[in-house]
Amino acid sequence: MNQSLVRTFGMRTILVLVFAFLYIPIAVLVALSFNEGGLPTAWSGLSLKWYVSLASNSAILSAALNTLIVALVSTAIATLLGTLLAIGVEMRRQYGKGLEALIFAPMIIPDIVLAIALLSFFSMLNLTMGLHTIILAHVVFNLAFVCSVVRARLKSFDWSIVEASADLGASAVTPFRRVTLPVIAPAGSAGALLAFTLSVDEFIIAFFTAGAGRASTTLPMQIYAMIRFGITPEINALATIVMAVSITALTLSQRLNRGMTGQ
């Protein structure tokens, strides 16, 4: 009994230490974003002035708009293509491990390798770099994640319903609209939220495929440019906002996933 208590206490202690290691720096960052003073080592009072300062910073606002455009457009395209890919793969279950690896390669390949590959591909096509190339790159990156989420939902789907509707004379669109789409809608929404979160936070691929100029600078790229001159409370405030958006999207995605599995 004593050994069991000691083991339980030890596991809980390790868990607390791990969570402290992970989240104390984040908590400090959030707290310093409300610090009235500019020094990160001295608390001088609670203030929202750094958030107000962000609202008047044209470079940050422009980067935030670019990020929103990239995230929304790439999420829409990746959700559509990823959902169709998941349906196609699950309907044709006779595929090898090679196809499986090919579909999920963007999830496994290091970001730096994928970024260099996309940069080389766009250069080979003589494409002018800009927001459009970042969007295409993020679609490639996010498509596998959406496909993975939707496929998890389709694992328990009874495809005999679709076959029965075809035998009864229904067109290919009718069973998809009335049966398949309602089933995969929560998964598609969860995949879209995940893709949006990944697109908002992604830096390396965007950095390599953005080209020159502020017209294609995203928010993570802007943060990187700012921290080269030191960490300021303004950057802390910006990082807090980005983190809040990411956590909100991930929380909604997880809730949708729980709803799909009935948990």
Side-chain angles (χ1 to χ4, degrees):
M1 182 66 178
N2 290 334
Q3 290 182 350
S4 177
L5 288 175
V6 170
R7 190 180 299 110
T8 302
F9 177 77
M11 293 299 296
R12 289 180 177 177
T13 302
I14 293 173
L15 186 63
V16 169
L17 291 175
V18 170
F19 277 108
F21 178 77
L22 290 174
Y23 293 110
I24 285 179
I26 297 176
V28 171
L29 180 146
V30 174
L32 290 177
S33 71
F34 295 98
N35 186 15
E36 185 177 3
L39 296 176
T41 56
W43 180 263
S44 56
L46 189 65
S47 175
L48 294 174
K49 73 176 187 178
W50 302 112
Y51 291 89
V52 176
S53 176
L54 286 178
S56 59
N57 191 318
S58 60
I60 290 176
L61 293 178
S62 175
L65 179 60
N66 288 339
T67 298
L68 189 61
I69 292 172
V70 169
L72 290 176
V73 176
S74 65
T75 295
I77 299 174
T79 301
L80 176 61
L81 296 181
T83 301
L84 294 176
L85 178 61
I87 294 173
V89 170
E90 286 302 315
M91 287 184 69
R92 308 287 192 272
R93 288 179 177 269
Q94 297 178 354
Y95 53 85
K97 294 295 182 181
L99 178 59
E100 189 89 5
L102 185 63
I103 293 173
F104 297 111
M107 297 173 61
I108 303 170
I109 295 175
D111 286 358
I112 185 68
V113 175
L114 183 60
I116 294 173
L118 289 168
L119 174 61
S120 301
F121 179 70
F122 293 146
S123 299
M124 183 180 66
L125 296 179
N126 291 323
L127 282 178
T128 303
M129 301 294 180
L131 284 183
H132 57 287
T133 50
I134 301 178
I135 290 171
L136 291 175
H138 280 198
V139 169
V140 173
F141 177 70
N142 288 327
L143 192 148
F145 290 94
V146 176
C147 180
S148 156
V149 174
V150 176
R151 281 190 65 194
R153 176 58 171 163
L154 289 174
K155 290 293 184 183
S156 58
F157 182 71
D158 186 4
W159 291 101
S160 63
I161 299 175
V162 177
E163 296 172 359
S165 64
D167 291 339
L168 294 173
S171 64
V173 177
T174 301
F176 175 79
R177 180 170 56 85
R178 294 191 176 184
V179 180
T180 310
L181 186 58
V183 169
I184 64 174
S189 300
L193 288 170
L194 178 61
F196 180 83
T197 303
L198 293 172
S199 185
V200 167
D201 294 341
E202 204 285 318
F203 167 73
I204 296 177
I205 295 175
F207 183 79
F208 273 75
T209 58
R214 287 191 171 274
S216 56
T217 299
T218 62
L219 205 51
M221 294 168 60
Q222 180 65 31
I223 294 175
Y224 173 74
M226 293 170 65
I227 63 173
R228 287 185 298 175
F229 303 101
I231 303 296
T232 66
E234 194 175 43
I235 295 178
N236 292 334
L238 180 58
T240 301
I241 293 174
V242 173
M243 183 177 61
V245 171
S246 300
I247 291 175
T248 301
L250 281 174
T251 302
L252 291 173
S253 176
Q254 289 179 348
R255 287 185 176 276
L256 287 170
N257 274 323
R258 289 197 193 101
M260 288 188 301
T261 56
Q263 297 176 351

